[in-house]
Amino acid sequence: EIDVQYLYRQGETFVFMDNKTYEQYELSSIQVDEAWKYLKESMGCSMLLFNNNPITLTPPNQVELRVEYCEPGVKGDTATNVTKPVKVETGAEFLCPAFINVGNVVKIDTRTGEYVARVSTS
C-alpha cells in the first residue's frame, strides 16, 4: 500500500503519482469505482499495488467539496432532517441539509457518502 496524489482525469482514466518515487499510475474508471465522487486534484489517497500494478484506491475518510449547484433553501426552513441534492465540484451529487447553498464547502464521509458538516470558509 502506497500514498499517492491524484493528478488528473483523462477520459475514463485517472492518473495518480507515488508521493515517494514520483512514478505515475493509471486506474480505469472501473478500478476507481465510486471514489471518483471525492477526487480533487492534488488530493492524497492510498493505493493498493499487486506486482507493482494498481489494484484499488482509497480516498481519505472525509473530504471537503465546494457546492457548485443546488436548489435554494426554503426561507425559514430550519429543520435539521430536511435534505436536498447538491452537486459538488467533482460532478457528484450528495444529499445535504436544506440550508446548504451554492459556494458552501461541505464535508462528506467517503465511506458512507453522507454529509458530515458545513465547513466555514472565513
Side-chain angles (χ1 to χ4, degrees):
E1 197 163 335
I2 60 170
D3 291 326
V4 295
Q5 179 180 351
Y6 173 59
L7 297 179
Y8 59 90
R9 178 178 184 172
Q10 188 171 346
E12 295 298 307
T13 303
F14 294 80
V15 181
F16 298 85
M17 178 182 67
D18 185 323
N19 290 340
K20 291 190 176 93
T21 66
Y22 303 109
E23 185 175 347
Q24 290 189 6
Y25 295 95
E26 294 184 354
L27 287 175
S28 70
S29 58
I30 293 169
Q31 289 170 299
V32 171
D33 195 31
E34 294 290 305
W36 71 268
K37 296 177 180 181
Y38 313 107
L39 295 177
K40 292 182 2 181
E41 288 184 8
S42 303
M43 174 182 282
C45 297
S46 179
M47 183 180 286
L48 183 64
L49 301 178
F50 180 74
N51 289 337
N52 211 33
N53 292 317
I55 304 295
T56 60
L57 175 80
T58 306
N61 288 342
Q62 294 184 345
V63 294
E64 295 179 2
L65 302 169
R66 181 169 305 283
V67 175
E68 297 286 320
Y69 176 79
C70 64
E71 295 294 327
V74 178
K75 191 171 181 78
D77 192 355
T78 57
T80 55
N81 61 348
V82 177
T83 61
K84 64 181 178 183
V86 302
K87 190 170 190 173
V88 296
E89 61 190 296
T90 62
E93 284 192 4
F94 298 99
L95 284 178
C96 292
F99 60 79
I100 297 297
N101 294 308
V102 172
N104 286 154
V105 176
V106 293
K107 188 178 285 189
I108 303 291
D109 188 317
T110 62
R111 298 162 294 187
T112 63
E114 293 178 354
Y115 168 86
V116 176
R118 178 169 56 178
V119 179
S120 68
T121 55
S122 48

